[in-house]
Amino acid sequence: MDQFFYYRKKKYSINSNGVFTKKSFSNIALIKYWGKQKNRIQIPLNSSISYSLENVYTVTRLIYHLKEKKRNFSVRVFLSGKEKTSFIPKILEFFHRISFYCSYLRDFNFVIETENTFPHSSGIASSASSMSSLALCIMEIEKKLVPSLKEDFFFKKASFLARLGSGSACRSIYPGLVVWGGHKSIKGSNNLYAIPYPYQVHPIFTKMGDTILVIDETPKQISSSKGHQLMNCNPYAKERFKCANKNMDRLISILKRGDLQDFGELIEHEALSLHAMIMTSSPYFLCMKPNTLNVLDKVWDFRKQSRKNIYFTLDAGANVHLLYPLQEKKFIMKLINNDLSSYCKKIIESFCI
Ligand code: DP6
């Protein structure tokens, strides 16, 4: 981790005021991260892989002002133009976590202005794209302070920092398929930062649509952080981590072969395994709503009848991501508009980049 340490300069090579703007995509995991190592900060218990999503992103403007005297962190946060004091504790916790690696943060007053392309209340996780875009802005400051900083290091450290804000955020630094968490079959994979998926991907998996069916817009009953923590005493946890690691091996082979049916079976199994863990935690809880199940039923029916490649995945909520090859989008949108839209509060069309 020492590679990410910032060696303090006596004099800063940065203007005393300025702004950096960065955009980050949201992501949807195919193999899910659910469970963190005890007594370690943001270290996953299994490796995960996600697609970054076009159309679903956060733009963050980080406005900085060099302070006369170094004091503690100073930050104000605005979401879509409205000041959000409720976001400050999370940002301060993030700044504390990364301060060892970015000691310069104490030397500035910051204003963070952030906007999501998706509605804040839509139940779509914004922490991945927002923490990732903030980490990229911070790295822009570091690049000014260390002009010799290499591009590869810029993204690695951005991913490392984003992870300390929210685990899945470290995958939002890169487009395409992104892996986080050490796995024996994936060269370069590690627990500290995410890497772009390094192996061959069949062309069918480079043009995948993702339509998000928003079933429930209310905030989650239980935060992801709490859900991860509950894995530490889930009686099925060990098997789940083993299974996730095996699924990663299966996915590597599927991505190479271009087998959509195997892909679909795997991602649906992963999504339901995540929910099985949620339902068997103590305390147990349920994220799916009746309309989530109605949608899953219809998707299975439609697939049986039409033999079209349409598959679902879920995050830790009620909303459904439908994944399909973009070349089949016309049929799929017909299904969505005719048979599924009545179960949804909103429909967000996206695709995997
Ligand atoms: C179900 O990254 O939101 O979306 O690290 O506590 O911020 P924290 O959790 P978070 O967990 C995401 C869990 C998931 C699966 C995934 O994206 O891999």
Side-chain angles (χ1 to χ4, degrees):
M1 272 186 280
D2 285 355
Q3 59 174 312
F4 295 125
F5 189 73
Y6 167 77
Y7 292 96
R8 210 175 176 77
K9 305 270 178 334
K10 279 209 184 96
K11 237 181 147 219
Y12 278 169
S13 53
I14 191 166
N15 293 336
S16 53
N17 295 296
V19 54
F20 291 110
T21 304
K22 285 283 170 189
K23 164 175 166 179
S24 265
F25 298 101
S26 182
N27 69 70
I28 182 70
L30 304 174
I31 307 275
K32 310 289 179 183
Y33 144 60
W34 198 245
K36 307 181 195 190
Q37 292 185 22
K38 256 190 197 162
N39 306 325
R40 312 241 352 238
I41 300 179
Q42 299 289 92
I43 299 294
L45 278 158
N46 65 268
S47 56
S48 58
I49 180 165
S50 57
Y51 267 128
S52 291
L53 298 176
E54 184 53 270
N55 294 349
V56 193
Y57 60 84
T58 301
V59 176
T60 296
R61 274 162 55 83
L62 181 65
I63 302 158
Y64 65 87
H65 187 276
L66 205 53
K67 289 184 208 162
E68 298 272 295
K69 270 194 194 146
K70 184 175 156 183
R71 268 173 251 115
N72 218 334
F73 302 117
S74 150
V75 62
R76 293 177 71 191
V77 187
F78 293 80
L79 173 68
S80 306
K82 277 200 188 130
E83 184 149 20
K84 286 275 180 191
T85 44
S86 58
F87 286 10
I88 300 231
K90 186 150 193 201
I91 300 289
L92 286 183
E93 191 189 351
F94 174 54
F95 277 17
H96 275 289
R97 277 189 186 168
I98 65 172
S99 60
F100 180 72
Y101 307 100
C102 306
S103 52
Y104 47 84
L105 288 178
R106 290 182 198 274
D107 299 347
F108 297 92
N109 292 309
F110 290 111
V111 175
I112 299 169
E113 293 178 356
T114 178
E115 307 246 4
N116 298 321
T117 53
F118 47 99
H120 177 57
S121 60
S122 63
I124 298 172
S126 59
S127 61
S129 51
S130 53
M131 281 300 176
S132 156
S133 56
L134 178 57
L136 286 166
C137 288
I138 292 170
M139 284 310 293
E140 286 292 348
I141 293 187
E142 186 158 324
K143 198 164 109 190
K144 281 274 174 211
L145 304 178
V146 187
S148 61
L149 193 148
K150 298 267 187 311
E151 191 178 291
D152 176 56
F153 178 84
F154 179 96
F155 290 110
K156 255 189 206 168
K157 183 163 175 182
S159 178
F160 172 84
L161 298 179
R163 184 197 102 235
L164 293 168
S166 176
S168 55
C170 72
R171 298 188 310 239
S172 275
I173 294 290
Y174 299 101
L177 285 162
V178 184
V179 179
W180 171 43
H183 190 280
K184 62 173 183 10
S185 308
I186 302 185
K187 202 170 161 228
S189 63
N190 71 91
N191 289 340
L192 300 181
Y193 53 85
I195 58 163
Y197 179 69
Y199 301 129
Q200 199 187 331
V201 176
H202 188 281
I204 195 81
F205 293 122
T206 59
K207 294 181 194 71
M208 293 292 284
D210 179 342
T211 298
I212 308 169
L213 307 183
V214 178
I215 307 280
D216 184 30
E217 299 176 302
T218 53
K220 285 180 191 167
Q221 242 178 304
I222 297 215
S223 68
S224 292
S225 304
K226 181 74 190 160
H228 286 289
Q229 206 185 328
L230 293 177
M231 281 301 273
N232 291 324
C233 44
N234 186 307
Y236 306 105
K238 251 195 185 160
E239 286 308 312
R240 160 66 197 148
F241 302 133
K242 262 198 230 161
C243 187
N245 284 326
K246 272 195 201 146
N247 282 348
M248 188 64 98
D249 275 321
R250 278 182 66 196
L251 188 63
I252 294 170
S253 147
I254 290 169
L255 290 174
K256 191 170 165 191
R257 283 186 282 121
D259 190 324
L260 274 167
Q261 279 176 18
D262 281 0
F263 173 83
E265 198 185 295
L266 183 73
I267 65 161
E268 291 188 353
H269 184 265
E270 267 294 313
L272 295 179
S273 300
L274 164 70
H275 283 257
M277 291 302 106
I278 289 170
M279 288 187 240
T280 51
S281 293
S282 291
Y284 50 83
F285 57 110
L286 197 58
C287 297
M288 291 195 230
K289 298 282 178 200
N291 279 342
T292 313
L293 296 179
N294 284 329
V295 166
L296 303 195
D297 241 9
K298 286 267 178 196
V299 169
W300 283 333
D301 269 358
F302 177 77
R303 202 160 71 212
K304 228 188 204 163
Q305 284 163 22
S306 68
R307 296 181 177 270
K308 292 281 168 209
N309 289 297
I310 175 170
Y311 304 100
F312 69 80
T313 187
L314 308 161
D315 60 16
N319 303 329
V320 181
H321 286 247
L322 292 179
L323 292 178
Y324 49 86
L326 275 174
Q327 65 203 37
E328 294 181 20
K329 181 164 180 178
K330 225 170 122 191
F331 288 97
I332 307 295
M333 287 316 290
K334 229 192 216 166
L335 163 80
I336 293 173
N337 293 325
N338 293 345
D339 293 352
L340 303 181
S341 57
S342 59
Y343 301 124
C344 311
K345 295 262 160 55
K346 279 189 194 96
I347 294 173
I348 300 173
E349 281 182 52
S350 176
F351 59 91
C352 309
I353 42 166

